[in-house]
Amino acid sequence: MFTFFNSLAVYAAHSLEEQSQMRQFLEQAGIEHSVSAIDRNAPQGLFPAISPELLFTQTIEYVFYVYKKDFDTAKTLIQDHWRWEENV
């Protein structure tokens, strides 16, 4: 289980497509991960979870977390092999 104490943020995606491709990349590399969807424009505090409709209409940041023990491996893989080019 990913918690604040045993995981670190390793990457932040800024679109649903990029998030999906990063998930596939980490799965193929065999790195366990968790993703949090965060609306950076929302006020801080306790709010309900992001609805599916909101995912398509707001600017959402998808933060990828990995276990601390896997952080260096994941970071190196992302730096060496990950290329994201958004379709324009």
Side-chain angles (χ1 to χ4, degrees), residues 13 31 33 35 51 56 68 73 83 86 88:
I31 297 175
H33 60 279
V35 182
S51 70
F56 293 106
K68 286 181 179 178
T73 302
R83 301 290 182 262
E86 187 172 5
V88 180

Side-chain angles (χ1 to χ4, degrees), residues 30-45:
I31 297 175
E32 277 191 78
H33 60 279
S34 176
V35 182
S36 291
I38 302 168
D39 179 359
R40 292 292 182 192
N41 296 321
Q44 297 297 314

